[in-house]
Amino acid sequence: MKRIAIIGGGISGLSAAYVLEKKRRDGGELDYVLYESSPRLGGVLVTDRVDGCLIEAGPDSFLTEKPWASDLCQQLGLADQLIGSNDRDRKTYILVRGRLIEMPDGLMFMVPTKLLPIVLSPLFSLKTKLRMAREWFHPPHEANGDETVASMVERHYGSEMVERLADPLLSGIYGGEASQLSVRAVLARFADMEAKHGSLGRAVLAARRNAPKPEGSPRPLFTSLKGGMQHMVDALVASLDADALTTGATVQATTLEGEGWVVSAGLRSDHFDAVILALPTQAAASLLRMCSHELATELAGVHYSSSVTVAIGYDRNVRQSLPPGFGFLVPRSEGKRLLAATFVHNKFPHRAPDDRAVVRCFLGGARDEQILALSEDEILRIVREELKLIIHLTAEPLFTRVFKWKGAMAQYGVGHLERLQRIEALRKKLPGLTLAGNGYNGIGVPDCVRSGIEAAEETLRTLGMAAPQPLSATPE
Ligand SMILES: Cc1cc2nc3c(=O)[nH]c(=O)nc-3n(C[C@H](O)[C@H](O)[C@H](O)COP(=O)(O)OP(=O)(O)OC[C@H]3O[C@@H](n4cnc5c(N)ncnc54)[C@H](O)[C@@H]3O)c2cc1C
């Protein structure tokens, strides 16, 4: 009987456990224990319900084009619970000099693909529009190593594009800054396009021309679950062996002893043949320091930023007065602490009754770690003050919720891919160890699901067992 420890009960660890449970039920000679330090499973996936509204404390959805989370939901029997974002009403605004300006149609991330909407948009100055036109004629450019997203975007479209679009978009996704994040780690597709085509605009259009035509109506940009992201966690937990799940169990050390591993949590130490660390890399580093100082140092080198989400509920009058669309992004140059806000009742309409509006705000990120030290009341005061300035929202909320996520968002800095190669080489020197989580090959929920599945499958292989079918993560 092989014994496997999974440390971390977020979506990465639960996905790994799902694979092991499936193997066990298929007759695999194994047992597993999942250790989670907090009293609940799911990590940053938390759904709350207030006043008939569904509130997401962490992620509210995932990108449809990355299949791993939807695939897992389908295997969990949740196919009929999957919902798409209300893309008919998709519109995002950028705050520019205190005014919300709609992002023009035809932008793929920050690459313009349609001429007219961009030319007519007040989002960019004439200078930037001329840069966009010139960009069309850029020759192929093989970058000399990695660089920041800001440097690549600036080379193509100038600094205004970095400030108004690239930076706010990245702070929405990573809680990070374009001037820090690695283009090869977070925008690999664009780095490849630049090498092949030069112009990103031409490259995106060529990719679209060559892509197979989708059948039926276009897929929504975001996918979620009717009952919120928590539903996925609940279904995963229900599919596992309850005796294998230990909450309130903080692992203090994982050490290699002879052929196996010793995992110490509280006063208990237990022996395992393999260990899956499904943790933020910083936490993985502290558990591995005794086994490999070098690996721990590399893991600790992946930085994390913190995030605060604030959900505020309002009545029908506010709902009618808010702008249409999904919400807005706030560039740093606007001098606000708000990074972005989502109009939840528009993005996922059934998450609020017709007579309610829910505005979900994001703060923190790499440039405002200090926000975590503020009380909930202070954070709410800032949010309400800034909503008043940006969207003239002065109404009394019906309810408020504040969620703080310390060190939850991995920042893939320049050289991240090389760091991953070093991590991989060092990890392989520790037999039976696999790593999963958002610090490696993607920060989104689907990437974390994939990382958990792949870690569990590799663990089974190293223990001489085949992975259960049909779990294998779909190739990208
Ligand atoms: C506010 C916010 C919004 C987001 N929005 C989106 C979104 O809309 N779409 C999207 O795709 N992604 C989004 N993400 C990113 C995505 O949700 C996360 O990257 C992903 O859920 C991380 O999952 P994980 O299991 O790797 O880590 P976590 O959820 O952090 O889980 C790790 C677990 O390990 C436990 N742990 C830590 N140390 C120990 C220890 N020593 N012993 C035992 N247990 C330990 C922790 O308690 C935690 O439960 C968002 C993230 C945040 C914070």
Side-chain angles (χ1 to χ4, degrees), residues 67 97 116 134 161 223 237 252 279 383 392 415 443 457:
R97 297 198 189 100
L116 198 60
R134 278 210 305 275
M161 183 66 102
T223 297
V237 171
Q252 288 107 7
L279 298 167
V383 167
H392 317 293
I443 188 175
E457 291 182 339

Side-chain angles (χ1 to χ4, degrees), residues 20-241:
L20 301 186
E21 176 63 27
K22 192 150 196 303
K23 184 71 190 174
R24 200 179 67 90
R25 290 192 188 180
D26 286 354
E29 300 262 301
L30 67 96
D31 76 24
Y32 64 94
V33 178
L34 183 146
Y35 295 87
E36 165 55 47
S37 57
S38 79
R40 65 170 286 283
L41 294 160
V44 302
L45 274 65
V46 180
T47 307
D48 202 358
R49 279 170 201 279
V50 197
D51 195 23
C53 302
L54 189 145
I55 307 293
E56 296 288 8
D60 70 344
S61 56
F62 43 82
L63 276 175
T64 305
E65 70 165 3
K66 297 194 169 196
W68 309 290
S70 318
D71 286 355
L72 181 57
C73 286
Q74 286 178 16
Q75 292 188 40
L76 289 165
L78 298 178
D80 62 344
Q81 297 298 310
L82 292 173
I83 52 168
S85 48
N86 174 30
D87 288 359
R88 210 170 31 116
D89 294 341
R90 194 167 89 218
K91 235 183 219 182
T92 303
Y93 305 89
I94 311 279
L95 189 69
V96 179
R97 297 198 189 100
R99 221 160 50 90
L100 289 184
I101 296 185
E102 191 181 326
M103 263 172 74
D105 192 22
L107 276 173
M108 191 198 146
F109 196 61
M110 75 284 144
V111 177
T113 62
K114 285 189 188 164
L115 192 64
L116 198 60
I118 307 280
V119 169
L120 296 178
S121 170
L123 183 58
F124 303 112
S125 63
L126 181 62
K127 190 172 159 207
T128 301
K129 289 175 186 171
L130 291 172
R131 284 287 296 256
M132 291 176 185
R134 278 210 305 275
E135 200 272 347
W136 201 254
F137 302 101
H138 275 205
H141 170 92
E142 193 70 62
N144 189 11
D146 201 2
E147 63 181 325
T148 65
V149 173
S151 124
M152 188 211 215
V153 174
E154 189 162 348
R155 208 172 48 245
H156 285 261
Y157 302 113
S159 57
E160 190 178 77
M161 183 66 102
V162 175
E163 182 210 312
R164 293 201 180 159
L165 222 46
D167 208 42
L169 282 169
L170 288 175
S171 74
I173 303 167
Y174 286 88
E177 295 187 47
S179 61
Q180 301 295 321
L181 294 172
S182 148
V183 81
R184 288 180 50 213
V186 308
L187 293 178
R189 208 175 345 165
F190 288 155
D192 294 344
M193 284 175 168
E194 183 184 48
K196 191 161 167 218
H197 296 266
S199 159
L200 299 176
R202 274 192 290 121
V204 167
L205 286 186
R208 271 201 200 146
R209 265 197 308 275
N210 297 333
K213 293 279 163 284
E215 283 168 25
S217 45
R219 293 188 309 164
L221 185 57
F222 302 104
T223 297
S224 193
L225 291 106
K226 282 183 197 156
M229 299 296 289
Q230 177 80 44
H231 196 170
M232 186 177 179
V233 171
D234 294 343
L236 264 172
V237 171
S239 76
L240 302 175
D241 173 10

Side-chain angles (χ1 to χ4, degrees), residues 216-370:
S217 45
R219 293 188 309 164
L221 185 57
F222 302 104
T223 297
S224 193
L225 291 106
K226 282 183 197 156
M229 299 296 289
Q230 177 80 44
H231 196 170
M232 186 177 179
V233 171
D234 294 343
L236 264 172
V237 171
S239 76
L240 302 175
D241 173 10
D243 293 337
L245 309 175
T246 52
T247 50
T250 301
V251 173
Q252 288 107 7
T254 48
T255 44
L256 245 185
E257 275 187 26
E259 298 281 282
W261 290 82
V262 175
V263 172
S264 308
L267 299 175
R268 269 197 70 162
S269 289
D270 225 343
H271 289 258
F272 294 92
D273 297 287
V275 171
I276 299 171
L277 294 186
L279 298 167
T281 58
Q282 307 281 332
S286 59
L287 295 189
L288 289 172
R289 196 150 309 269
M290 304 263 278
C291 296
S292 166
H293 187 78
E294 260 183 301
L295 176 55
T297 304
E298 289 292 355
L299 290 168
V302 180
H303 294 142
Y304 277 73
S305 74
S306 300
S307 180
V308 172
T309 61
V310 177
I312 314 190
Y314 295 98
D315 64 13
R316 182 197 302 271
N317 294 336
V318 171
R319 182 167 177 148
Q320 284 163 356
S321 69
L322 286 173
F326 282 11
F328 60 85
L329 301 169
V330 184
R332 187 180 4 181
S333 52
E334 293 295 311
K336 303 276 183 290
R337 293 187 90 168
L338 259 185
L339 299 173
T342 303
F343 304 141
V344 176
H345 50 278
N346 291 340
K347 187 174 176 186
F348 291 108
H350 57 282
R351 289 194 167 168
D354 290 347
D355 58 353
R356 292 286 179 267
V358 178
V359 182
R360 193 165 102 108
C361 303
F362 299 83
L363 300 96
R367 70 176 106 127
D368 191 8
E369 201 69 25
Q370 306 86 304

